[in-house]
Amino acid sequence: MAEYKPIKKVVSGNYAAAYAAKDARVQVVAAYPITPQTSIIEKIAEFIADGEANIQYVPVESEHSAMAACIGASAAGARAFTATSAQGLALMHEMLHWASGARLPIVMVDVNRAMAPPWSVWDDQTDSLAQRDTGWMQFYAENNQEVYDGVLMAFKVAETVNVPAMVIESAFILSHTYDVVEMIPQELVDEFLPPREPLYDLANFEKPFSVGALATPADYYEFRYKLAKAHEEAKKVIREVGREFGERFGRDYSRMIETYRTDDADFVFLGMGSLMGTVKQAVDLLREEGYRVGAAKVLWFRPFPGEELYELAKGVEGIAVLDRNFSFGQEGILFNEAKGVLYNTKARPLMKNYIVGLGGRDFTVSDVRKIAENMKAIIEKGELDVEVDWYHLKR
Amino acid sequence: MNTLFGEKKAEAKKLVFTSVDQYPEAPVSLDTTLSNFTGDWRTFIPVINEEKCVKCYICWKFCPEPAIYIKPDGYVAVDYDYCKGCGICANECPAKAITMEKEEK
């Protein structure tokens, strides 16, 4: 094994995604440009034009077609990649089911962007979380490094369990902000991520078969069970692949929930994506001020890391769930999921939902401090003031 | 049995899975149409009266499956392994040679 010397580049989150796709040796990219995803596919087109990557680029007329082309390519055995945002992801929705149902390990980067109207191009997790039930795995990146690492790991996990995966980054906060990213030399990526071995060979003309064929009520149910089991299996694979990634490249992803200073914490902030960088910084400051707080970042939202959340919940008195998303008629989506997982366990800390940062609203360290003060007060009192707090609301 | 695929279809065995482990990982190749029969969906069954049939083949042309085929003698017949009993053939037949009858199962 060659010695690992990272290649440091200053890149945007979107370029980190494009470099990762190139280093993963994707064979087919089909995509349609949409803000703020556009520079991912522009960069890939540049790689192809400069002869740096041997990729078949399929320009399509919509995101629905982009996913359809990826499905065709993946069914034929290729490593396929695409990227999108918000309305584009929504337009793909129907095709996302075809990809996961046919067990095709496509990897997509979704640049989290608020759903319109009102028209918005800024950060909001509702677009990807609305695809929660499509059978895709979801990895939420906190920074540009995690975008790069996430794409490489997503391919390995996806191709092991034959389930497609999304790697999700924040609009502008990551997609267009430059940061140092440690990239991995090509030969080491190749060792980590060997060529894909497809589940079936569509090019075998001796034994023709159909893909995604009809299943009557006598058979459909079993295929759904198989996909459900694949997601269960994926939890194990994610931890193994994350551990291997850590051993090879020094950044450990063996846990699906990353914990930060949670060991002796009275309460923790639970959230996903870029806002957790702010939270970690705030935790350091709050610790200096005497607050015993920690941060827990859900890296993989699907499959959902219920076991790790339970372990976390056992040791704390409260969990402040920060949702940059909302499920109308109910509450924040991560809050909803986290509460659901803990219902049948003995760990029942006070849980409060803070709706933050929708549509790119700034979420800062001082916001975290205010939330910490509020959490401390409700824990001391032993009961919630409100369950769902629209934190930024102009009152 | 008269069928669209003749002997080939008779040879094909319908795959029946009795436990989840027997299923392929991905829903591919459940089977070909040679053995994946879809004719058990119907309630009414078309019955052809050759005495009235004028061999116009409008039923053959309109059948959406297509489950109607032309026999060597020029008359039409229905492949009941695929006929879903929609009744379009009976509706379109100008000679009223096709009647839809309640199927006894």
Side-chain angles (χ1 to χ4, degrees):
Chain A
M1 198 202 297
E3 200 196 339
Y4 170 51
K5 278 189 194 141
I7 304 160
K8 290 190 181 183
K9 282 196 169 82
V10 178
V11 291
S12 65
N14 276 357
Y15 281 9
Y19 274 101
K22 175 175 79 77
D23 291 350
R25 293 191 187 276
V26 298
Q27 291 157 301
V28 176
V29 172
Y32 186 83
I34 181 169
T35 303
Q37 157 263 39
T38 314
S39 55
I40 297 178
I41 57 169
E42 279 177 354
K43 190 69 182 168
I44 289 174
E46 199 180 302
F47 289 142
I48 298 166
D50 293 347
E52 285 181 49
N54 182 19
I55 298 171
Q56 289 290 319
Y57 186 92
V58 189
V60 285
E61 87 293 354
S62 79
E63 283 85 353
H64 190 273
S65 305
M67 186 45 61
C70 285
I71 287 167
S74 189
R79 184 170 284 164
F81 177 85
T82 187
T84 191
S85 288
Q87 319 297 125
L89 182 61
L91 187 53
M92 278 183 186
H93 172 78
E94 189 238 346
M95 280 289 142
L96 298 184
H97 283 280
W98 280 96
S100 61
R103 306 292 298 278
L104 301 171
I106 300 161
V107 170
M108 152 161 70
V109 170
D110 175 57
V111 186
N112 263 156
R113 163 185 155 185
M115 295 300 295
W119 198 246
S120 167
V121 293
W122 291 276
D123 187 19
D124 192 307
Q125 296 163 337
T126 308
D127 64 340
S128 54
L129 288 170
Q131 309 306 327
R132 183 186 69 167
D133 304 331
T134 54
W136 281 59
M137 297 185 286
Q138 295 196 348
F139 176 91
Y140 284 81
E142 178 196 319
N143 50 42
N144 296 358
Q145 184 69 58
E146 287 186 2
V147 174
Y148 180 84
D149 296 347
V151 169
L152 296 181
M153 286 189 289
F155 269 114
K156 183 145 178 162
V157 175
E159 290 173 12
T160 306
V161 293
N162 291 291
V163 174
M166 284 179 208
V167 175
I168 295 140
E169 57 163 319
S170 302
F172 300 105
I173 295 167
L174 299 188
S175 72
H176 286 63
T177 306
Y178 283 66
D179 197 0
V180 178
V181 172
E182 292 190 0
M183 297 190 188
I184 301 163
Q186 184 68 62
E187 65 268 26
L188 292 183
V189 177
D190 292 346
E191 277 177 21
F192 173 73
L193 186 66
R196 178 185 164 205
E197 286 173 27
L199 200 53
Y200 45 82
D201 180 12
L202 199 67
N204 181 356
F205 298 109
E206 299 301 312
K207 196 178 178 303
F209 59 85
S210 45
V211 178
L214 176 82
T216 63
D219 295 308
Y220 183 87
Y221 190 93
E222 275 66 25
F223 284 113
R224 280 295 161 269
Y225 176 79
K226 289 229 158 195
L227 183 55
K229 290 301 278 185
H231 270 262
E232 276 303 308
E233 173 73 12
K235 288 185 187 178
K236 211 174 87 207
V237 175
I238 283 167
R239 292 177 185 125
E240 280 166 10
V241 167
R243 186 174 299 115
E244 185 192 343
F245 198 92
E247 282 163 9
R248 284 177 185 264
F249 311 122
R251 293 182 294 278
D252 184 76
Y253 293 93
S254 59
R255 286 173 58 82
M256 294 168 74
I257 295 180
E258 182 197 313
T259 52
Y260 183 75
R261 304 186 78 165
T262 56
D263 281 350
D264 62 338
D266 293 333
F267 63 93
V268 293
F269 301 97
L270 183 74
M272 303 191 291
S274 62
L275 61 83
M276 293 312 287
T278 306
V279 171
K280 282 190 228 169
Q281 195 192 346
V283 163
D284 287 344
L285 294 169
L286 287 164
R287 283 264 174 185
E288 285 172 19
E289 293 169 20
Y291 285 91
R292 289 204 304 186
V293 289
K297 178 177 72 183
V298 175
L299 279 163
W300 292 87
F301 178 77
R302 278 289 180 275
F304 195 75
E307 303 85 349
E308 285 172 21
L309 186 63
Y310 177 53
E311 287 305 313
L312 176 76
K314 274 202 293 196
V316 297
E317 290 174 54
I319 300 179
V321 184
L322 309 173
D323 268 307
R324 192 168 217 147
N325 60 74
F326 196 73
S327 174
F328 301 101
Q330 183 64 345
E331 56 203 3
I333 297 168
L334 179 60
F335 181 62
N336 186 263
E337 297 267 333
K339 270 197 312 178
V341 159
L342 297 176
Y343 182 81
N344 273 332
T345 67
K346 283 180 184 151
R348 301 277 285 275
L350 266 182
M351 292 178 75
K352 182 170 166 180
N353 193 191
Y354 297 88
I355 306 300
V356 297
L358 298 187
R361 179 76 49 99
D362 256 356
F363 181 68
T364 63
V365 169
S366 66
D367 294 325
V368 184
R369 178 181 282 112
K370 281 177 197 155
I371 290 171
E373 285 164 10
N374 180 244
M375 272 305 281
K376 196 173 175 223
I378 59 175
I379 287 172
E380 278 168 6
K381 206 176 170 204
E383 62 179 273
L384 291 174
D385 41 6
V386 288
E387 194 171 36
V388 181
D389 189 341
W390 282 74
Y391 172 77
H392 298 289
L393 206 64
K394 294 169 186 163
R395 291 174 211 269
Chain B
M1 188 170 69
N2 286 321
T3 67
L4 280 170
F5 299 102
E7 284 175 12
K8 243 184 159 180
K9 193 168 79 177
E11 282 170 19
K13 280 184 191 150
K14 186 167 172 61
L15 286 175
V16 178
F17 302 120
T18 52
S19 91
V20 68
D21 299 330
Q22 294 167 358
Y23 282 82
E25 201 53 40
V28 295
S29 200
L30 248 192
D31 224 337
T32 70
T33 48
L34 280 177
S35 57
N36 197 9
F37 303 145
T38 51
D40 56 357
W41 299 6
R42 62 182 174 257
T43 309
F44 290 90
I45 189 167
V47 177
I48 292 169
N49 183 347
E50 288 190 2
E51 284 175 17
K52 287 187 182 173
C53 178
V54 295
K55 300 182 182 175
C56 68
Y57 306 135
I58 284 175
C59 59
W60 171 81
K61 197 173 183 180
F62 273 69
C63 176
E65 284 309 315
I68 291 182
Y69 63 101
I70 302 165
K71 294 190 290 182
D73 64 7
Y75 287 105
V76 292
V78 181
D79 188 332
Y80 294 119
D81 284 341
Y82 302 110
C83 170
K84 296 182 178 69
C86 69
I88 289 174
C89 54
N91 188 61
E92 297 295 335
C93 178
K96 301 204 185 317
I98 306 176
T99 50
M100 298 301 291
E101 294 175 12
K102 188 84 187 276
E103 187 175 19
E104 302 293 330
K105 284 184 182 167

